[in-house]
């Protein structure tokens, strides 16, 4: 059966890429395996690096078109609609799909506010081609090394992959810094206020979160608290809380023998069914499936 990209009505891809604890996925694709020999138009919230390994392809991304041959690549920004068709030979590509937060780590951090957010919000950098002839061999080599590490999975490869991707995007953004939107300096007082909110969420995530109590930490009104949090982090309070709870649940699954229902209660979900639904939406599988496939048993249980 031919592959196809599944999307919703807005063309947002429905596939979950990677896992909350390692939000990166790499695909090795032969375009002949796709329906109509093309990758249909879609978009997603992750960054995508496409490396052409064989043949030629035509990419349409961010309002621009690119004819890429083997050895060339394309960096597609988050939330950028893109599609691809073969343009000669047996077209094969490697796609590295990574969540931006994997690189800048904490919402509201200097790296997120001063570097990544201007990049992510820049229409001029919706797509950036990489060609050895244009001096991009170093970037292409880094991304190929990321692919090798993820295939071979040596001990601690995740740390090396994280460092390589940070290096690559540091180089990419520096080379195109003149095309970034100018951003206003971040108010240090706002960073301190954000830290108070994050500290409160991290301390109270296991219980129902009171927006009134959270807003009182600054203090600020409930409505302004929601607006401020989104402005500083790029996500809503509920989105951040949900992601944090799921990340804590994964930690418990990997480090304890607690039941799924117990983990659900300990991480602030009102019921095991709500936990399962939120977990599946984030990871593409149920908590039990995730534990079975990703969590090694402790030595005493072998």
């Amino acid at each position: 059966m031919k592959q196809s990209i599944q999307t919703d009505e807005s063309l947002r891809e429905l596939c979950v890429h990677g896992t909350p604890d390692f939000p990166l996925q790499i695909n090795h694709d032969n375009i002949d395996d796709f329906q109509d020999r093309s990758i249909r138009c879609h978009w997603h919230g992750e960054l995508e690096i496409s490396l052409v390994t064989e043949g030629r392809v035509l990419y349409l991304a961010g309002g621009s078109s690119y004819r890429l041959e083997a050895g060339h690549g394309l960096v597609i920004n988050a939330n950028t609609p893109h599609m691809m068709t073969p343009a000669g030979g047996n077209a094969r590509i490697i796609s590295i799909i990574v969540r931006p937060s994997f690189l800048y780590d904490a919402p509201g951090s200097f790296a997120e506010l001063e570097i990544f957010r201007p990049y992510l919000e820049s229409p001029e950098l919706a797509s950036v081609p990489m060609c050895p002839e244009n001096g991009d061999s170093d970037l292409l080599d880094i991304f190929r090394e990321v692919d090798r590490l993820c295939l071979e999975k040596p001990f601690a490869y995740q740390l090396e992959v994280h460092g390589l991707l940070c290096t690559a995007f540091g180089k990419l953004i520096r080379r195109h810094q003149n095309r970034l939107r100018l951003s206003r300096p971040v108010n240090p007082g706002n960073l301190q206020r954000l830290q108070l909110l994050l500290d409160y969420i991290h301390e109270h995530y296991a219980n129902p979160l009171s927006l009134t109590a959270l807003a009182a930490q600054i203090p600020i009104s409930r409505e302004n608290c929601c607006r401020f949090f989104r402005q500083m982090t790029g996500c809503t309070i509920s989105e951040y809380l949900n992601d944090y709870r799921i990340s804590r649940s994964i930690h418990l699954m990997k480090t304890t023998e607690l039941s799924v229902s117990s983990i659900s209660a300990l991480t602030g979900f009102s019921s095991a069914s709500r936990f399962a639904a939120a977990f599946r939406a984030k990871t593409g599988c149920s908590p039990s499936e995730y534990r079975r496939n990703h969590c090694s048993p402790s030595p005493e249980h072998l």
Side-chain angles (χ1 to χ4, degrees):
M1 184 176 179
K2 293 288 188 179
Q3 298 184 52
S4 63
I5 302 293
Q6 302 300 314
T7 65
D8 62 16
E9 293 181 354
S10 71
L11 299 183
R12 183 187 184 108
E13 186 176 7
L14 299 176
C15 176
V16 175
H17 300 115
T19 61
D21 54 339
F22 193 58
L24 180 147
Q25 177 175 314
I26 299 182
N27 301 323
H28 289 237
D29 292 318
N30 183 335
I31 308 308
D32 285 343
D33 294 336
F34 283 82
Q35 188 174 356
D36 298 325
R37 295 188 71 241
S38 66
I39 295 179
R40 61 179 294 186
C41 186
H42 66 286
W43 61 275
H44 41 67
E46 294 89 357
L47 301 161
E48 181 169 339
I49 302 101
S50 179
L51 306 174
V52 183
T53 60
E54 188 176 337
R56 294 182 178 85
V57 299
L58 172 64
Y59 256 111
L60 301 177
S64 299
S65 62
Y66 307 93
R67 287 186 178 272
L68 306 177
E69 61 185 47
H72 292 204
L74 184 69
V75 179
I76 304 168
N77 212 329
N79 303 315
T80 298
H82 55 281
M83 62 179 294
M84 189 267 283
T85 60
N90 184 25
R92 295 177 182 267
I93 62 170
I94 297 171
S95 298
I96 302 172
I97 305 172
V98 59
R99 190 184 307 165
S101 60
F102 181 61
L103 305 181
Y104 61 71
D105 191 28
S109 65
F110 176 86
E112 191 267 333
L113 287 173
E114 297 290 332
I115 302 172
F116 261 93
R117 192 176 299 187
Y119 166 67
L120 295 170
E121 295 177 351
S122 173
E124 292 82 6
L125 295 176
S127 54
V128 178
M130 296 179 292
C131 305
E133 299 82 359
N134 293 337
D136 297 323
S137 294
D138 55 343
L139 293 178
L140 291 161
D141 288 343
I142 290 174
F143 292 131
R144 283 191 283 263
E145 178 65 6
V146 167
D147 176 56
R148 184 192 69 79
L149 287 167
C150 289
L151 281 174
E152 298 179 2
K153 295 181 169 55
F155 179 71
Y157 78 96
Q158 297 93 335
L159 289 176
E160 196 168 353
V161 165
H162 178 266
L164 286 170
L165 287 173
C166 287
T167 297
F169 276 92
K171 290 175 176 287
L172 179 76
I173 292 171
R174 187 183 307 116
R175 290 174 189 178
H176 298 280
Q177 60 183 307
N178 60 326
R179 300 168 66 186
L180 293 176
R181 288 180 173 177
L182 295 177
S183 59
R184 291 176 293 179
V186 179
N187 185 325
N190 283 344
L191 288 177
Q192 294 176 355
R193 295 163 77 200
L194 175 64
Q195 190 60 58
L196 289 173
L197 296 180
L198 294 176
D199 288 346
Y200 186 87
I201 291 173
H202 296 167
E203 184 178 352
H204 296 88
Y205 74 92
N207 302 307
L209 186 71
S210 165
L211 180 56
T212 299
L214 179 65
Q217 302 305 305
I218 301 185
I220 197 173
S221 71
R222 290 159 49 103
E223 293 75 15
N224 285 336
C225 180
C226 294
R227 189 177 301 111
F228 171 77
F229 192 91
R230 187 178 186 94
Q231 177 186 4
M232 292 295 290
T233 68
C235 63
T236 66
I237 294 170
S238 60
E239 288 170 342
Y240 183 87
L241 176 61
N242 188 66
D243 283 356
Y244 189 76
R245 283 172 168 167
I246 289 176
S247 71
R248 298 312 300 163
S249 75
I250 288 175
H251 174 74
L252 290 175
M253 280 192 280
K254 289 185 172 182
T255 59
T256 75
E257 297 296 327
L258 291 170
S259 67
V260 169
S261 59
S262 296
I263 291 174
S264 167
L266 287 172
T267 51
F269 289 93
S270 59
S271 68
S273 61
R274 287 182 179 273
F275 170 50
F279 195 94
R280 182 178 289 279
K282 198 68 181 176
T283 68
C285 63
S286 70
S288 297
E289 291 169 338
Y290 186 90
R291 171 175 259 173
R292 185 165 58 249
N293 296 329
H294 298 280
C295 304
S296 300
S298 55
E300 62 269 22
H301 290 85
L302 292 174

mmCIF file of all heavy atoms in Angstrom, residues 151 166 215 221 246 285 300:
data_model
loop_
_atom_site.group_PDB
_atom_site.id
_atom_site.type_symbol
_atom_site.label_atom_id
_atom_site.label_comp_id
_atom_site.label_asym_id
_atom_site.label_seq_id
_atom_site.Cartn_x
_atom_site.Cartn_y
_atom_site.Cartn_z
ATOM 1 N N LEU A 151 20.670 6.303 13.743
ATOM 2 C CA LEU A 151 20.576 4.948 13.225
ATOM 3 C C LEU A 151 21.343 3.965 14.097
ATOM 4 O O LEU A 151 20.854 2.884 14.437
ATOM 5 C CB LEU A 151 21.118 4.891 11.793
ATOM 6 C CG LEU A 151 20.203 5.384 10.674
ATOM 7 C CD1 LEU A 151 20.957 5.393 9.352
ATOM 8 C CD2 LEU A 151 18.962 4.513 10.554
ATOM 9 N N CYS A 166 22.044 21.982 17.752
ATOM 10 C CA CYS A 166 22.236 23.357 18.238
ATOM 11 C C CYS A 166 23.346 24.046 17.454
ATOM 12 O O CYS A 166 23.225 25.222 17.083
ATOM 13 C CB CYS A 166 22.569 23.343 19.729
ATOM 14 S SG CYS A 166 21.176 22.946 20.809
ATOM 15 N N ALA A 215 -1.832 33.389 38.916
ATOM 16 C CA ALA A 215 -1.723 34.811 38.589
ATOM 17 C C ALA A 215 -1.282 35.628 39.794
ATOM 18 O O ALA A 215 -0.608 36.657 39.645
ATOM 19 C CB ALA A 215 -3.065 35.324 38.070
ATOM 20 N N SER A 221 -3.836 40.031 36.836
ATOM 21 C CA SER A 221 -5.160 39.457 36.650
ATOM 22 C C SER A 221 -5.055 38.134 35.904
ATOM 23 O O SER A 221 -4.071 37.862 35.219
ATOM 24 C CB SER A 221 -6.066 40.417 35.880
ATOM 25 O OG SER A 221 -5.671 40.497 34.522
ATOM 26 N N ILE A 246 2.961 15.279 31.137
ATOM 27 C CA ILE A 246 3.305 14.083 30.362
ATOM 28 C C ILE A 246 4.792 13.770 30.485
ATOM 29 O O ILE A 246 5.186 12.603 30.609
ATOM 30 C CB ILE A 246 2.882 14.261 28.894
ATOM 31 C CG1 ILE A 246 1.352 14.217 28.794
ATOM 32 C CG2 ILE A 246 3.507 13.180 28.007
ATOM 33 C CD1 ILE A 246 0.806 14.480 27.427
ATOM 34 N N CYS A 285 0.761 6.964 21.018
ATOM 35 C CA CYS A 285 0.506 5.637 21.576
ATOM 36 C C CYS A 285 -0.017 5.775 22.994
ATOM 37 O O CYS A 285 0.024 6.855 23.583
ATOM 38 C CB CYS A 285 1.775 4.771 21.563
ATOM 39 S SG CYS A 285 3.111 5.414 22.590
ATOM 40 N N GLU A 300 16.281 -5.718 38.729
ATOM 41 C CA GLU A 300 15.710 -6.702 39.624
ATOM 42 C C GLU A 300 14.471 -7.354 39.067
ATOM 43 O O GLU A 300 13.970 -8.357 39.603
ATOM 44 C CB GLU A 300 15.393 -6.068 40.982
ATOM 45 C CG GLU A 300 14.355 -4.942 40.946
ATOM 46 C CD GLU A 300 15.001 -3.589 40.753
ATOM 47 O OE1 GLU A 300 16.142 -3.549 40.246
ATOM 48 O OE2 GLU A 300 14.390 -2.582 41.113
#
